[in-house]
Amino acid sequence: MSKTPSRPEGIPEPTGELPVTFERKFRPWRYVVGHSRLSIRSIDPNSAPDHVEITFFGVLGVRLASVYQTLTIALADKADAEDMFRFSGLRESQYSSALCVALSSDSGTGHVVCVGCSVWLHTDKPDHIGRGGPRHDSILLARGRSTGR
């Protein structure tokens, strides 16, 4: 029987839904063009024995800041989403097939147009080859998916 890891201070209870806010510093970590996958990670290795990773799948367009403090991840409002859909080259008939996620912080804002995203708490120190999905003792904090087809 595996032990459930304890929740570190400042990590929200998993709701499975956006929005979610973290009192940590984040930065874009990896973008893989061939897989249309973008990862953003918390980067405070000295302040926490774990890290948070947000992974976006089926990425169609991005506008990102280089660093985010106290990051909030939410679904974009309608006007921002439509602006990002146009920026990403989507036709209006394709809007329902995509998700526009807003990233906001005192240090910058951003948007990601994608098919879906997941937010994971990894209870170990970040490595350089992590893929953004679950690992031993990882906790799914939130997930977002497009609703249309």
Side-chain angles (χ1 to χ4, degrees):
M1 186 157 157
S2 68
K3 180 182 149 193
T4 302
S6 60
R7 183 164 312 286
E9 188 175 323
I11 296 297
E13 287 294 322
T15 62
E17 298 178 7
L18 301 176
V20 64
T21 299
F22 299 96
E23 301 287 332
R24 294 182 180 209
K25 185 177 183 179
F26 286 80
R27 76 174 194 83
W29 190 254
R30 174 181 292 172
Y31 179 62
V32 181
V33 176
H35 294 280
S36 300
R37 179 179 278 188
L38 169 69
S39 294
I40 297 174
R41 283 190 184 176
S42 61
I43 56 170
D44 293 328
N46 296 326
S47 66
D50 53 28
H51 69 284
V52 176
E53 186 164 6
I54 304 109
T55 303
F56 301 92
F57 306 95
V59 174
L60 302 166
V62 295
R63 284 185 186 157
L64 296 175
S66 59
V67 174
Y68 294 95
Q69 298 282 359
T70 312
L71 178 65
T72 297
I73 307 155
L75 296 179
D77 64 35
K78 185 177 179 178
D80 285 344
E82 288 179 357
D83 180 53
M84 279 301 298
F85 292 157
R86 284 189 296 276
F87 171 79
S88 300
L90 294 177
R91 294 183 309 275
E92 197 168 329
S93 63
Q94 297 172 308
Y95 289 5
S96 65
S97 299
L99 181 71
C100 185
V101 179
L103 308 173
S104 60
S105 168
D106 292 343
S107 59
T109 61
H111 290 90
V112 179
V113 175
C114 59
V115 174
C117 66
S118 60
V119 182
W120 289 93
L121 172 68
H122 300 298
T123 57
D124 56 352
K125 291 277 190 186
D127 60 23
H128 294 285
I129 59 172
R131 300 285 187 243
R135 297 192 292 256
H136 178 70
D137 289 341
S138 294
I139 300 169
L140 179 65
L141 300 175
R143 178 173 281 156
R145 295 185 182 174
S146 65
T147 56
R149 282 244 176 237

